[in-house]
Amino acid sequence: MEILILTSNPVPESPESILPSLELLPHRARYAGRDVRALLSGPSPDAVMVDARSDLADARATCRVLQATGLTVPLIAIVTEAGLAALQADWGVDDLLLASSGPAEVEARLRLATGKPNAATASGPAVIRAGDLTVDPDTYAAKLKGAPLDLTYKEFELLRFLAQHPGRVFTREQLLREVWGYDYFGGTRTVDVHVRRLRAKLGSEYESMIGTVRQVGYKFVAPPPENLRESEPAPERVDA
């Protein structure tokens, strides 16, 4: 199992001291500073741990940013007993580990966290509905106001992935990894090209559903409820 551990910056000279018992288990640990860009370098992790033994405010901020960027693997905080009181639901972590945890507990928590199916996996792909847009992963069909959208395979996959995570911001590198796969060697401009084509096919009325977050990436903007559409202006699209 590949585990990414985000700790203080710079990384301590003996990072294995963060969770000593992990060194006794047959997992590969990679250490990096508390920076979400660490997810984009090196192998894709099966779990991410955040060193929250000290500087709890920064550790909490790191966890919240990770969840906001659409982290799809378990997020685990490593804390001391004194730090337990600071943990709240708004950290967005899936589990916690005491730095003093033994190897059996660490292994059990990793096994449970990485083996836990999410709701989408358990129930199978479901039709995604967002206002007048419907996306059916089973039939690879997307419709707008009941009319089929003529999308290429990658355009459909990009729309499906974004629509499955409304409001979450994904970098171009994350979208390349999730939609095009690890074996794709093209540049990130490929994402921009597909976004432009997708917006063109959605039309001027709906192109703002694919939102741009300047200098970061893209997100799916769900339309407001029907009763709010007339009272609220449509969101503006800002090109990257």
Side-chain angles (χ1 to χ4, degrees):
M1 185 181 300
E2 188 79 29
I3 300 170
L4 173 62
I5 300 179
L6 301 181
T7 183
S8 57
N9 201 1
V11 177
E13 292 185 5
S14 301
E16 61 274 5
S17 64
I18 296 170
L19 188 63
S21 59
L22 185 61
E23 299 300 311
L24 303 176
L25 299 172
H27 303 304
R28 295 180 300 276
R30 179 164 63 93
Y31 298 89
R34 291 190 190 126
D35 190 334
V36 295
R37 288 174 295 184
L39 288 168
L40 306 178
S41 61
S44 180
D46 298 298
V48 175
M49 295 183 179
V50 173
D51 179 10
R53 297 173 304 159
S54 61
D55 199 353
L56 293 172
D58 186 64
R60 172 181 175 272
T62 301
C63 291
R64 288 169 62 88
V65 170
L66 285 168
Q67 291 292 15
T69 56
L71 186 68
T72 57
V73 298
L75 177 59
I76 301 171
I78 303 172
V79 298
T80 62
E81 287 194 27
L84 287 172
L87 280 175
Q88 302 289 337
D90 65 355
W91 280 54
V93 297
D94 299 296
D95 203 351
L96 63 90
L97 275 167
L98 288 174
S100 58
S101 297
E105 180 179 354
V106 173
E107 178 66 20
R109 287 186 181 274
L110 280 172
R111 186 170 61 248
L112 289 172
T114 57
K116 185 186 301 181
N118 55 38
T121 302
S123 60
V127 175
I128 304 163
R129 293 182 174 85
D132 295 323
L133 176 70
T134 60
V135 180
D136 189 344
D138 281 333
T139 61
Y140 284 87
K143 295 181 180 180
L144 198 55
K145 288 186 174 179
L149 288 172
D150 184 17
L151 304 178
T152 65
Y153 175 74
K154 287 301 181 187
E155 289 167 354
F156 176 86
E157 285 293 288
L158 179 60
L159 178 62
R160 176 195 61 78
F161 181 76
L162 289 172
Q164 282 180 329
H165 306 88
R168 289 190 176 182
V169 182
F170 294 93
T171 66
R172 291 165 176 82
E173 290 81 3
Q174 285 177 312
L175 290 173
L176 273 180
R177 186 174 67 220
E178 297 292 342
V179 177
W180 277 263
Y182 294 99
D183 56 349
Y184 182 76
F185 294 102
T188 56
R189 299 305 296 178
T190 296
V191 176
D192 298 327
V193 170
H194 280 74
V195 166
R196 282 200 301 271
R197 291 174 179 170
L198 189 52
R199 283 173 172 162
K201 292 181 179 181
L202 289 171
S204 58
E205 185 180 355
Y206 296 96
E207 63 177 359
S208 59
M209 296 177 93
I210 310 298
T212 298
V213 178
R214 193 180 294 277
Q215 297 182 344
V216 181
Y218 299 103
K219 67 178 180 177
F220 184 81
V221 181
E226 188 70 30
N227 60 346
L228 295 179
R229 290 186 183 180
E230 295 182 0
S231 60
E232 295 185 0
E236 294 183 0
R237 175 173 65 85
V238 180
D239 292 328

